[in-house]
Amino acid sequence: MPKVQLAELTQPQRDRLAFIELRVRFVGEIRRQDLVARFGIQSAAATRDLALYKELSPGNIDYDPKGKAYVLGPDFRPIFDFPPERVLSWLTQGFGDGEPMRLKAWVASESPSRLTHPDLDVLASVTRAIHQECPLGIEYHSIASGRTEREVVPFALIDNGLRWHVRAFDRKSQEFRDFVITRIKNPVVLKGQPVASHEMSDQDIQWTRIVELELVPHPDQPRPEITEMDYSMQGGVLRMKLRAATAGYTLLRWSVDCSPDHSLRDEQYRLWLSDPLALYGVENAKLAPGYQAPSSPKKR
């Protein structure tokens, strides 16, 4: 029934209702002012939109008088069918929050499809826990340990180019780790439970540390000037600043030769990390192609 009723609304109305659903599902709450700021409408119009959404799908949102916001209802059932790519673009880049529609492209284009997509209900629990700064109970499946039950304190999403991770403090190992979102099952947002100071993102050394990398055309590949053009290099160098927690992923994704003697010769390695020591202390440097950890000095 909601689909029929939605079809009778104007496109701007449907876009505002889609925004309400996204905010509540993935952030956990929405206020009238959020609609006013996003769409430039009057407060009274925002109130009518919220009432209409509640009418279309009873149980999806409840009003919290204490927080003066509409929050996720216990019987939430989405009325909009958002593709995962749209949701992740909205969460991480801030656009694409209107009604999901298949529109004709302005120009012909093709882009590679991801082989994996996170379950949106799982993703919604993760992002609500991030926004509300509270722990998350999960069932996690890893290749090394199999199925385990954990409590984590998530604070950021990471796209490694192939799959999405969530960066979180893991109470089981007492470490900050990356968890693959597709391996998370049965998440429960532990709203209201305290988070200790050592579990917060500012205590994650790999997250707060910024590494500066200099990438140059691979010395053993032909026509370095073409590589300089492809990567918009200045003076033959591409300088990057990355969080240590994401450096290994980025270097792997871009096929950067990180060996000290640029010994990787396949055609895919068009870039070379000119100073591999810049990765010293980066925990996921082992993902970087060809990287060799500096040898410890021998004790006498």
Side-chain angles (χ1 to χ4, degrees), residues 9-10 59 63 85 101 104 116 120 124 134 139-140 162 175 183 204 207 209 218 220 239-240 248 254 258 281 284 300:
L9 302 177
T10 66
Y63 186 69
E85 296 93 337
M101 298 176 64
K104 183 179 179 180
T116 65
L120 287 186
C134 60
E139 175 186 301
Y140 192 68
L162 297 175
E175 295 176 346
R183 298 178 185 176
D204 183 355
W207 184 257
R209 178 187 168 190
H218 197 286
D220 300 312
R239 293 179 174 85
M240 302 180 62
W254 285 11
C258 298
N284 62 17
R300 295 186 178 182

Side-chain angles (χ1 to χ4, degrees), residues 28 33 47 72 82 112 115 134 202 242 276 296:
Q33 188 57 36
T47 299
L72 188 76
F82 278 95
L115 297 180
C134 60
D202 61 358
L242 300 171
S296 301

Side-chain angles (χ1 to χ4, degrees), residues 42-256:
Q42 297 297 317
S43 183
T47 299
R48 288 195 296 270
D49 286 334
L50 288 161
L52 176 58
Y53 183 83
K54 194 173 178 66
E55 177 187 330
L56 288 172
S57 190
N60 271 16
I61 59 174
D62 291 327
Y63 186 69
D64 175 17
K66 185 178 179 180
K68 296 183 179 180
Y70 286 87
V71 297
L72 188 76
D75 302 317
F76 179 85
R77 296 289 184 274
I79 61 177
F80 290 97
D81 185 18
F82 278 95
E85 296 93 337
R86 283 282 302 278
V87 174
L88 288 161
S89 292
W90 175 68
L91 287 168
T92 59
Q93 301 176 48
F95 60 84
D97 55 19
E99 180 190 13
M101 298 176 64
R102 291 188 177 274
L103 301 176
K104 183 179 179 180
W106 291 107
V107 295
S109 66
E110 289 290 337
S111 59
S113 299
R114 287 179 180 269
L115 297 180
T116 65
H117 292 100
D119 178 89
L120 287 186
D121 290 329
V122 171
L123 178 64
S125 295
V126 170
T127 56
R128 289 200 304 272
I130 291 173
H131 179 75
Q132 296 166 3
E133 299 182 340
C134 60
L136 183 72
I138 63 173
E139 175 186 301
Y140 192 68
H141 298 256
S142 74
I143 294 174
S145 306
R147 176 189 175 280
T148 57
E149 292 187 0
R150 300 169 181 265
E151 282 188 11
V152 299
V153 182
F155 60 86
L157 300 179
I158 297 176
D159 177 14
N160 76 350
L162 297 175
R163 57 195 181 189
W164 285 86
H165 297 215
V166 58
R167 186 74 176 173
F169 181 82
D170 176 30
R171 288 178 169 174
K172 185 178 182 69
S173 65
Q174 290 291 299
E175 295 176 346
F176 288 96
R177 292 186 173 182
D178 296 341
F179 293 90
V180 182
I181 297 179
T182 52
R183 298 178 185 176
I184 295 175
K185 302 294 182 185
N186 303 318
V188 178
V189 180
L190 305 175
K191 192 172 182 179
Q193 291 200 16
V195 173
S197 58
H198 71 277
E199 299 175 328
M200 302 180 77
S201 62
D202 61 358
Q203 298 300 305
D204 183 355
I205 295 174
Q206 293 293 307
W207 184 257
T208 56
R209 178 187 168 190
I210 302 298
V211 294
E212 299 187 19
L213 307 179
E214 291 193 357
L215 309 183
V216 299
H218 197 286
D220 300 312
Q221 295 290 350
R223 299 198 178 278
E225 69 276 9
I226 303 297
T227 300
E228 293 181 26
M229 292 170 61
D230 286 344
Y231 293 94
S232 301
M233 291 184 176
Q234 300 294 322
V237 179
L238 175 61
R239 293 179 174 85
M240 302 180 62
K241 292 184 179 181
L242 300 171
R243 294 187 185 276
T246 67
Y249 296 136
T250 301
L251 294 167
L252 175 62
R253 182 180 183 181
W254 285 11
S255 296
V256 179

